[in-house]
Amino acid sequence: MNRVYFVGAGPGDPELLTLRGASLLQSCQAVFTFAPLDETFAGLIAKRPVFDPYDFDFDELLAHIETLLDAGNVVFLQPGDLTFFSPFQALIEALGDKAEVVPGVGTANAAAALLKRTLNLSGVCTRTILVSSRVLAEIPGAPALEDLAQPGATLLIYMNHYPLEELVGRLRRGYGRNEPIALAHRIGLPGQRLFVGCLDDILERTADCTLFDKRGRADLTLIIVGQALTATPDHSWWDQRRLRVRRHRC
Ligand SMILES: C[S@@+](CC[C@H](N)C(=O)[O-])C[C@H]1O[C@@H](n2cnc3c(N)ncnc32)[C@H](O)[C@@H]1O
């Protein structure tokens, strides 16, 4: 049976695609994806037809996929990975057994690698919260961003929809203090930029660039906030852990 593979593309750099994802992409019949992945993956997609899923309404999309499946496998290249904020869940449900998911490098993983930081540093951060400011604001009764921005929490903010100045104000109210913040823009894509600072100086650090559109949206920016970004790891922790591991092995 031909299948529809929902392949985690990673942040955009084809070097971060899994080997399985690359092999499926190179053997499929047609590809669904959108900018900028259609450009960065052009080499692997080669001459296969590329469709933008947002050109179809839901029923049209299903019908189009069924036609393509008669000729071979179909690949949906999805940004990052299915795990967080995938737009394709309803489609996967509708396709049932015909759908298969291939994991990829999530944007959170790629951002942590760029920063060279683990985002839940032991002794500093007790929780890491992945959140979209836009989704939070859409749901009545959901906690406000300020409620989640608490000391000891690392926040990963996807799909920010606040102008940076407003976002910084909300985070300051939540954390109740100055806090480290990083903006990872277009990770793995042409124009990649990484800004690391604190709530007090991030506006100044980003003053010379256009990360945000007129409504404040920064579509390809992941925002990371919290002490885990800059805290000095406690080296004694390594020796304690080593002792525990060795004791366990004996
Ligand atoms: C619909 S969500 C998709 C998340 C994706 N499923 C993942 O695994 O990371 C889109 C958001 O992910 C983040 N994002 C996706 N690709 C990115 C990239 N290359 N660089 C920075 N942020 C990115 C941005 O916050 C963007 O608003």
Side-chain angles (χ1 to χ4, degrees):
M1 175 169 70
N2 292 329
R3 288 184 192 276
V4 185
Y5 292 92
F6 291 83
V7 174
D13 177 354
E15 296 260 310
L16 294 179
L17 184 66
T18 62
L19 294 175
R20 178 154 161 74
S23 138
L24 286 166
L25 200 49
Q26 286 172 308
S27 60
C28 70
Q29 149 73 17
V31 179
F32 283 85
T33 194
F34 35 75
L37 301 181
D38 55 344
E39 284 169 27
T40 56
F41 285 89
L44 287 172
I45 293 171
K47 292 198 168 14
R48 288 171 191 81
V50 178
F51 302 99
D52 182 338
Y54 296 121
D55 283 344
F56 304 83
D57 72 27
F58 194 77
D59 290 337
E60 282 170 359
L61 185 56
L62 274 178
H64 189 48
I65 292 169
E66 289 295 347
T67 311
L68 293 168
L69 277 174
D70 288 340
N73 291 327
V74 172
V75 163
F76 271 74
L77 262 185
Q78 56 178 336
D81 170 73
L82 172 87
T83 318
F84 301 109
F85 304 116
S86 168
F88 296 130
Q89 188 61 49
L91 202 52
I92 291 172
E93 307 278 318
L95 288 165
D97 289 347
K98 288 181 202 153
E100 204 171 297
V101 177
V102 180
V105 174
T107 313
N109 309 105
L114 201 57
L115 288 157
K116 298 194 224 172
R117 297 295 299 190
T118 185
L119 299 179
N120 64 340
L121 194 61
S122 204
V124 172
C125 166
T126 55
R127 56 221 183 270
T128 303
I129 302 174
L130 291 101
V131 66
S132 156
S133 67
R134 194 176 80 207
V135 174
L136 270 187
E138 277 168 7
I139 299 175
L145 196 60
E146 292 87 321
D147 300 326
L148 301 176
Q150 299 295 319
T154 304
L155 283 190
L156 268 67
I157 305 172
Y158 293 71
M159 293 173 278
N160 170 52
H161 72 310
Y162 296 121
L164 188 56
E165 203 169 346
E166 179 176 349
L167 179 77
V168 165
R170 286 174 180 270
L171 293 170
R172 238 193 173 294
R173 280 199 292 285
Y175 282 104
R177 63 187 190 198
N178 193 15
E179 195 76 5
I181 181 168
L183 306 184
H185 181 62
R186 293 185 65 87
I187 306 167
L189 293 166
Q192 171 180 294
R193 304 226 22 206
L194 178 66
F195 301 88
V196 184
C198 59
L199 295 178
D200 281 354
D201 69 10
I202 197 70
L203 288 169
E204 205 180 309
R205 284 178 188 271
T206 54
D208 70 331
C209 60
T210 47
L211 283 185
F212 300 90
D213 71 15
K214 288 186 188 116
R215 287 168 302 163
R217 284 181 193 238
D219 273 345
L220 286 178
T221 303
L222 187 68
I223 300 169
I224 301 129
V225 199
Q227 294 292 321
L229 283 172
T230 53
T232 308
D234 175 5
H235 295 183
S236 67
W237 174 87
W238 176 267
D239 292 331
Q240 288 164 25
R241 184 171 167 78
R242 179 170 168 269
L243 278 179
R244 262 205 312 275
V245 170
R246 287 173 70 91
R247 221 178 292 130
H248 209 67
R249 285 185 190 157
C250 291

